[in-house]
Amino acid sequence: MGVTKHLNFDIETKGIGKICKALGHPTRIQIMTLLWKRNNRTCGEIVELIPLAQSTISKHLLELKKANLVHIKNEGKKIIYSIDVENIEKLKKYLTSYLSTIEIAEQNKATVLTTRHRISRNSHLKEHNYQFTHKKIKQAI
């Protein structure tokens, strides 16, 4: 039985991960774009603009709600969806401030892929062999 490594990330990092995971589907990005252009839409209004089944759009809206990217407001029998601007602001802050200030030399990154040139009989098929630097490289016999 293998041992699973768990990393304890801070709340902000976990929050950004949750947001990015929710935005990891093109339909959800499209829904967010529609709400950004005009907020307070019903599922039916979104279905009119995105040619998918209402049940599919509802599932995507639920995923966006779970990630706190949309608010739900009941108006009679209608459910109105709107963007949770606070969480979008968190993502914007992360992408603009943090990523622009992080400077790590490429050679110091543990996950950087290094390119190794290999000559083999199939060299015309594969010019580069990508290896993770932390994995052992198999030696050709």
Side-chain angles (χ1 to χ4, degrees), residues 63-82:
E63 289 301 312
L64 292 170
K65 184 185 180 329
K66 282 186 200 169
N68 299 315
L69 288 170
V70 295
H71 288 297
I72 291 178
K73 184 170 64 178
N74 291 304
E75 281 185 9
K77 289 185 179 182
K78 287 183 177 179
I79 299 171
I80 309 296
Y81 296 89
S82 61

Side-chain angles (χ1 to χ4, degrees), residues 86-119:
E86 190 180 317
N87 275 313
I88 295 298
E89 286 297 326
K90 283 180 191 174
L91 180 63
K92 182 183 174 185
K93 180 184 170 189
Y94 174 75
L95 293 173
T96 53
S97 330
Y98 296 125
L99 293 183
S100 65
T101 58
I102 293 171
E103 286 184 34
I104 302 169
E106 289 294 312
Q107 64 270 22
N108 295 336
K109 290 184 185 176
T111 57
V112 168
L113 298 171
T114 57
T115 305
R116 302 188 190 281
H117 295 283
R118 257 187 160 173
I119 299 170

Side-chain angles (χ1 to χ4, degrees), residues 18-29:
K18 194 175 176 182
I19 290 168
C20 290
K21 187 176 179 182
L23 292 174
H25 194 286
T27 301
R28 293 196 280 272
I29 291 172

Side-chain angles (χ1 to χ4, degrees), residues 37-87:
K37 287 179 179 177
R38 187 172 67 76
N39 223 356
N40 301 309
R41 294 182 192 256
T42 64
C43 183
E45 290 170 329
I46 294 167
V47 170
E48 284 175 25
L49 297 162
I50 302 173
L52 293 170
Q54 183 159 349
S55 60
T56 303
I57 297 295
S58 290
K59 285 176 187 171
H60 285 299
L61 284 164
L62 181 63
E63 289 301 312
L64 292 170
K65 184 185 180 329
K66 282 186 200 169
N68 299 315
L69 288 170
V70 295
H71 288 297
I72 291 178
K73 184 170 64 178
N74 291 304
E75 281 185 9
K77 289 185 179 182
K78 287 183 177 179
I79 299 171
I80 309 296
Y81 296 89
S82 61
I83 285 183
D84 183 332
V85 179
E86 190 180 317
N87 275 313

